[in-house]
Amino acid sequence: MKLLPRIHDIYVGRAVLTTVLLTWAVLVGLFVMMGVSDQFKDIGKGSYTFAHAVAYVAYGVPRNAYNLFPTAAVIGALMGLGQMAATSELTALRALGLSRRRLGLSVAATIAILTAAMVVNGETLAPWAQNQADVLKANAKYNTNMATARYSGLWAREGDTFLNAQGGEEKLGESGGTSLQLHDVRLYQVGDDGRLETLTYAVSAEHVSSGWVLHGVRRDTFEPRSVKRETFERLPWNSRLDPAALAAGLSRPRNLSVRELHDSIEYRQRNGLDARDYEDQYWSRWFYPANVLALCLAAVPFAFGSLRSGGMGKRLFLGVLFALGFWLLQLFFGRMAGALKLDYRIAYALSPVMMLLISGWLFRRRSS
């Protein structure tokens, strides 16, 4: 079997590409409209306006495109192949001597090109855009002066003090509420003349009911001719920074690239912090291409049987059924890995392996 693309491969690929892109556009557009309507509840809080809501949703389009692509791929592939089957085009191609495997490879090659583009998007544009969206909303909603930098974490300002935190998370408190904990914190206090007066480093900063508390503190005070250093195990920090605003500005695991996730996992493991959420996202990124291709290949055999008859509704139903079933299966394995502290690599490998086994079984069944 020659692997170089032939005219029939291009024809099948173009048919699948058209329906995938159309399905993708419909899904992304639907989520954009839902996203805008969901932002209505926050309009009017602080200085958050309708324009901010539209910008927030627009920034989220690359992330939505990345998340929705597997669903769009399987629905679009089924609809494209189903249309070709309904018009006997697949039968004609089979009569020319093309095997089911070759037709499946034509579909897989088309999906692989789009998947590669989505992988690049998921590592570059989508994380950056989502971080911009979160900071935009937090600054407008809470009237704060805050920013996030790609490699230097969270930045916020309160008066003459600048805060920098490399990471953080919200934790459940004993009373059932949540508390914000920041890690690797630096506080820069600047004088009226622009000179740095004090530099305070803390292993962590936690917001509790009584206010902010710094842990593992080292404070350097810069005097005209000397530097004074003080250390504290625990030090209250008199600040009115809103923990909700800071939490909104933190880079969440889903907004990080694979490299940043890897660095975050190593940092948390070195410091005895929980890295499960980061490991979950890290391995989901690595298995993303395999998931998309396995999902589409598992659906291809239906084009040679049940999709010959029936309208677009049947093909749409099967596509949604496949996507939903795969999502539930992956969610189940992922939650099991998190609850039982299993290796996420095994959890994320099970779903595509099962889909590929189903695909192979269906291909053999259709061939017999």
Side-chain angles (χ1 to χ4, degrees):
M1 181 175 61
K2 296 181 179 180
L3 295 180
L4 293 177
R6 306 292 292 273
I7 189 169
H8 49 74
D9 297 315
I10 297 174
Y11 182 79
V12 173
R14 185 172 58 187
V16 171
L17 178 64
T18 301
T19 52
V20 168
L21 292 179
L22 180 61
T23 306
W24 201 5
V26 171
L27 289 176
V28 172
L30 180 62
F31 269 73
V32 166
M33 290 188 293
M34 292 171 59
V36 172
S37 63
D38 186 58
Q39 294 302 307
F40 285 159
K41 65 180 184 296
D42 292 326
I43 294 176
K45 295 181 179 179
S47 58
Y48 195 68
T49 64
F50 180 74
H52 288 109
V54 172
Y56 176 83
V57 173
Y59 272 126
V61 168
R63 173 60 61 192
N64 282 330
Y66 179 88
N67 292 333
L68 292 171
F69 175 68
T71 303
V74 67
I75 294 176
L78 277 172
M79 293 182 69
L81 290 175
Q83 185 63 33
M84 294 181 68
T87 56
S88 300
E89 290 175 283
L90 286 184
T91 303
L93 290 173
R94 292 278 291 137
L96 291 175
L98 295 180
S99 65
R100 290 183 173 89
R101 183 178 301 176
R102 180 70 191 214
L103 292 172
L105 286 177
S106 301
V107 175
T110 304
I111 299 299
I113 294 173
L114 294 175
T115 303
M118 278 299 96
V119 169
V120 174
N121 170 53
E123 294 302 303
T124 55
L125 180 60
W128 173 84
Q130 192 60 54
N131 279 328
Q132 294 298 313
D134 292 340
V135 172
L136 171 72
K137 184 174 182 178
N139 285 338
K141 186 177 177 181
Y142 299 103
N143 292 320
T144 59
N145 188 3
M146 185 171 57
T148 55
R150 188 173 178 84
Y151 298 107
S152 57
L154 173 71
W155 287 88
R157 178 182 179 181
E158 183 186 35
D160 59 356
T161 302
F162 295 84
L163 174 142
N164 172 234
Q166 293 300 310
E169 69 271 335
E170 290 183 291
K171 302 174 63 177
L172 288 175
E174 296 180 357
S175 60
T178 59
S179 63
L180 178 65
Q181 187 174 56
L182 303 176
H183 305 299
D184 203 1
V185 178
R186 291 169 177 81
L187 300 174
Y188 303 88
Q189 186 174 2
V190 181
D192 295 335
D193 57 356
R195 291 176 58 253
L196 181 63
E197 292 185 348
T198 63
L199 170 59
T200 304
Y201 170 79
V203 174
S204 65
E206 184 176 9
H207 187 271
V208 294
S209 57
S210 58
W212 287 96
V213 178
L214 305 178
H215 299 276
V217 183
R218 184 184 70 238
R219 182 168 63 191
D220 294 329
T221 303
F222 298 93
E223 299 176 350
R225 295 183 178 275
S226 63
V227 178
K228 178 183 177 182
R229 171 165 291 184
E230 301 171 283
T231 58
F232 308 89
E233 286 293 327
R234 188 174 183 273
L235 182 68
W237 175 35
N238 184 21
S239 173
R240 299 178 64 184
L241 283 174
D242 191 339
L246 294 178
L250 287 172
S251 292
R252 292 166 173 77
R254 65 186 178 89
N255 296 341
L256 301 177
S257 66
V258 167
R259 183 175 181 179
E260 291 167 336
L261 285 169
H262 181 267
D263 293 341
S264 297
I265 291 170
E266 288 190 339
Y267 169 80
R268 288 174 172 272
Q269 289 176 343
R270 282 198 311 268
N271 292 276
L273 302 172
D274 185 16
R276 302 292 293 176
D277 290 342
Y278 292 82
E279 291 177 353
D280 185 3
Q281 288 294 323
Y282 179 76
W283 290 113
S284 71
R285 299 288 182 82
W286 279 108
F287 282 96
Y288 181 87
N291 290 338
V292 176
L293 293 176
L295 185 59
C296 292
L297 286 175
V300 166
F302 285 92
F304 302 104
S306 60
L307 292 185
R308 290 179 182 175
S309 60
M312 185 177 295
K314 182 178 181 180
R315 294 188 281 274
L316 182 61
F317 172 75
L318 280 174
V320 173
L321 186 64
F322 257 91
L324 182 61
F326 184 81
W327 178 77
L328 290 174
L329 193 64
Q330 194 173 63
L331 184 66
F332 171 75
F333 288 135
R335 293 293 183 268
M336 287 290 291
L340 301 178
K341 299 188 182 301
L342 302 176
D343 194 327
Y344 278 105
R345 286 171 289 189
I346 298 175
Y348 278 105
L350 285 174
S351 299
V353 167
M354 290 182 65
M355 282 296 176
L356 288 175
L357 290 175
I358 292 173
S359 176
W361 176 73
L362 289 173
F363 263 113
R364 287 194 298 270
R365 184 182 178 188
R366 301 293 184 192
S367 300
S368 59

